[in-house]
Amino acid sequence: MARADAILAAVQRIHEAPLAPEGWTRALPSIAGALRSEHGILLVQNASRTTELAVSFEMTSEQMDGFVAAAHVDSAFWGAIRGVPVGSVAPTSALLSDREYARTTFYNEGVRPLGAFHGLAVSPLRTPQRFVHISTGRRLGRQDYDSKDIAALRMLAPHLVTALKVAHRLAAADLRAAGAGDALDRLDAGVILVDAASKILFANQTAEAILAGNDSLGIDRDGVCAGSRRATWVLRRLIASCAQVTMANGGPGGSMVIPRAEGGGPLRVVVAPFRADTAQIDTAWLGAARPVAILMITDPEREQRVRKEDLRRRFGFTPAEADVALEILKGDGRDASAARLGIAAATVRTHLSHIFEKTGLHRQAELVRLLMQRERELTSTDGGLKKLDGDF
């Protein structure tokens, strides 16, 4: 009964391990206890057999370093360990006789300093990039692992395999999420994920800044809202349409323009169905809302600030020169640019003279080509502007 309880405790710790940073440190004592062992170790090696992670139980740092080094140096014996099928249990005595094992570098440099001899190992995960090894050991002089010990590890092996697969997928998901989050935060367009009730599930940094301004887009107790009751009704109707399989009047989603309460240029909002695979998973039983729509928010005034700041940093333009350069890019001449800026045409010519000096150009057509190239470099593949270093 004591062995059965120890195995159950080890199973619980094994499945908890992928969910906490110190999970395997807590799981190894339980695994060793279920196998009546004094030592335990988990190694993760990469494709070149270099150890990337080592977690041990009842081993000093020097002993663990010696074990890791011996596993890397003794290619013959360690090759036999790596050859054991995934999930299969292998006592060291099944790989080599005790006499042969006692002569290996792995034993003398990795196991003997522990005061151990017999070992019991399993490989829960093997991919082209990673090899995971878990083993426990018994002190020199104790009996070798018997059939009951091997049966106990065989009971644990499927749980180890599952837990390592979960850990592998969680790590990959975390990496993708971190990369996607960083990329979204670099966009100057706002990105918001909402559920069917218009509750915000995610907002990138630009969207958070827009929401914090609470000028034309904000949050109330019912979710994301616009500056007026009418605009809020339209926005939430577009979001609700994304949760429906069919629509009587056209497809799901759409676009709208939201005026600013304080004046200035309006926000442009595109509402589209969120169709990622994860969105098709019913997460209600987990207490997690399912995203149904993605909101892409562009602020023309903010984009203009990004363009001006880029020109100032790239070419050393003054704010007034950056304004003139962006107006010239519209291609309708100096007089029209002067009229929109509310300055004299002579002032535009003066600014252009300074712009030519700073860019090394001599003709307005060359300037337009340069600015268009800079626009292409600044614009992301999905039409949004990339953020520059720092927020402004």
Side-chain angles (χ1 to χ4, degrees), residues 108-121:
N108 284 284
E109 297 184 8
V111 177
R112 188 173 182 177
L114 298 171
F117 187 83
H118 297 296
L120 190 60

Side-chain angles (χ1 to χ4, degrees), residues 217-240:
L217 202 65
I219 305 172
D220 64 18
R221 64 181 183 181
D222 295 320
V224 63
C225 63
S228 67
R229 293 179 62 183
R230 170 66 181 174
T232 297
W233 181 83
V234 173
L235 177 62
R236 290 177 177 171
R237 180 172 174 80
L238 293 176
I239 292 170

Side-chain angles (χ1 to χ4, degrees), residues 180-181 184-185 187-214 216-220 222-226 235-236 238-239 242 254 258 267-275 290-298 382:
L184 288 172
D185 280 338
L187 292 177
D188 200 63
V191 179
I192 298 176
L193 293 182
V194 295
D195 65 12
S198 300
K199 298 292 186 182
I200 295 177
L201 307 179
F202 168 84
N204 70 347
Q205 289 183 4
T206 301
E208 288 178 350
I210 293 172
L211 293 169
N214 203 31
S216 52
L217 202 65
I219 305 172
D220 64 18
D222 295 320
V224 63
C225 63
L235 177 62
R236 290 177 177 171
L238 293 176
I239 292 170
C242 294
I258 303 178
L267 294 182
R268 296 193 296 265
V269 180
V270 175
V271 181
F274 186 76
R275 292 289 185 252
R290 182 170 66 90
V292 301
I294 181 169
L295 279 58
M296 296 291 296
I297 308 151
T298 55
D382 62 357

